[in-house]
Amino acid sequence: RLCAFALERKIATAYVAMNFGNINDLLQLVFSFINAPLFATFLLGMFWARTTAHGAFWGLLGGIIACALHYLLTSVGLQPSGGLHTYYSDMARNFWGAIWAWTTCFVVTIGVSLVTTPRSAEDMKGLVWSLTPRVRDEGLAWYLRPSVLAVIVGAAALMINIYFW
């Protein structure tokens, strides 16, 4: 029974994908709906201690709705076809949809968080960057220091890029 459900989902996805020029356009559309507002929520949640759960929920919902409205009100093609704006490619449309979703989520999350009761600073320790105690790595061996390892990995990546250029 579970296998039949998985097969039905694959068939339904194939029919949806037929309406796009390539699978990447469909994936980017899904990412603009989901990942862009989720990214705004994570940023606010990690770096602003005032963010609330209600703000995050309504921000995510607002971002998804903003992306859906952008998708429904715009079109793609070389000739204008009745939308409020016509993009020359699906990728451009998805990119701007993600911008609208991210911005809407960011603004709505801040607005709702400002009018709802925040959690105490004690509850947020270890979750928000500004309330997390900093670990000092002085006195540790060089191979236990993240900053030294980051420089080594960055230098190695740069050398590999130069070598294979």
Side-chain angles (χ1 to χ4, degrees):
R1 181 170 183 120
L2 187 61
C3 187
F5 178 69
L7 182 62
E8 291 169 358
R9 282 191 324 190
K10 290 178 184 177
I11 293 170
T13 303
Y15 277 110
V16 170
M18 284 186 345
N19 296 322
F20 292 88
N22 58 53
I23 194 70
N24 191 41
D25 290 337
L26 174 61
L27 288 174
Q28 291 301 322
L29 177 64
V30 171
F31 291 161
S32 67
F33 268 82
I34 305 299
N35 289 359
L38 195 59
F39 180 55
T41 302
F42 273 117
L43 281 179
L44 282 171
M46 287 189 305
F47 295 110
W48 190 44
R50 184 70 175 81
T51 305
T52 64
H54 293 290
F57 173 78
W58 290 109
L60 282 170
L61 188 61
I64 291 170
I65 290 171
C67 191
L69 286 174
H70 176 267
Y71 183 78
L72 294 173
L73 296 175
T74 59
S75 59
V76 174
L78 297 176
Q79 302 296 326
S81 60
L84 293 178
H85 183 73
T86 301
Y87 293 100
Y88 290 108
S89 70
D90 282 323
M91 193 62 73
R93 183 186 197 183
N94 295 335
F95 181 77
W96 282 100
I99 290 173
W100 278 103
W102 189 92
T103 305
T104 302
C105 178
F106 200 82
V107 170
V108 170
T109 300
I110 289 172
V112 173
S113 292
L114 288 174
V115 298
T116 54
T117 306
R119 294 179 67 171
S120 69
E122 189 62 35
D123 289 342
M124 303 302 283
K125 278 189 179 172
L127 298 175
V128 179
W129 186 77
S130 62
L131 299 176
T132 302
R134 304 294 178 271
V135 177
R136 303 286 179 201
D137 60 2
E138 288 120 13
L140 294 176
W142 69 270
Y143 54 84
L144 295 176
R145 292 180 166 192
S147 56
V148 174
L149 296 176
V151 170
I152 292 171
V153 169
L158 180 64
M159 288 188 296
I160 289 170
N161 275 296
I162 290 171
Y163 180 76
F164 288 105
W165 189 285

